[in-house]
Amino acid sequence: QVQLVESGGGLVQPGGSLRLSCAASGMIFSIYTMGWYRQAPGKQRELVARIISGGSTYYADSVKGRFTISRDNAKNTVYLQMNSLKPEDTAVYYCNAWRPPVAGAKYDYWGQGTQVTVSS
């Protein structure tokens, strides 16, 4: 019943910007850690940015200073503002929701992904 739906991907020139959105449903959004991951062709999925329920954030070194993660708990939505995009940012971007396991139950959900292509 948990659903994460990403949107906002597309084709952009180097130096351009995109804002990704992830709308969550079927979960108590405010208590989850939310993250953005990406996977380029032939590479492993990597963590891009993460935001906990209290608002603290983490960024991969490769995107620090260029990307900003934020959340709106009233809208059950997490965002990724992507500025100064580089061709190396080209990947499928995935939204993730996580909270600690309880009594053997896992709470780790993924969206379907949205394609970001940075090309001149």
Side-chain angles (χ1 to χ4, degrees):
Q1 64 270 33
V2 172
Q3 189 174 14
L4 304 174
V5 180
E6 301 98 332
S7 61
L11 175 65
V12 65
Q13 294 184 356
S17 298
L18 287 173
R19 190 175 83 150
L20 306 183
S21 299
C22 172
S25 60
M27 56 185 277
I28 306 173
F29 180 84
S30 62
I31 66 174
Y32 277 77
T33 293
M34 302 299 298
W36 287 98
Y37 293 71
R38 67 187 181 187
Q39 188 165 25
K43 296 185 178 180
Q44 289 188 322
R45 187 173 299 186
E46 65 174 347
L47 175 65
V48 176
R50 185 171 58 219
I51 184 167
I52 65 172
S53 59
S56 296
T57 58
Y58 164 85
Y59 297 94
D61 288 342
S62 59
V63 307
K64 198 170 299 180
R66 300 188 297 122
F67 291 10
T68 303
I69 189 171
S70 61
R71 66 192 295 160
D72 187 338
N73 289 342
K75 294 182 170 63
N76 285 8
T77 302
V78 63
Y79 306 95
L80 186 68
Q81 179 66 47
M82 309 164 66
N83 298 328
S84 302
L85 283 162
K86 306 174 181 179
E88 305 94 282
D89 297 318
T90 296
V92 177
Y93 284 71
Y94 296 92
C95 179
N96 171 256
W98 178 88
R99 61 182 294 216
V102 177
K106 295 180 289 185
Y107 300 94
D108 193 2
Y109 305 104
W110 296 89
Q112 82 290 341
T114 185
Q115 177 71 49
V116 172
T117 303
V118 185
S119 177
S120 59

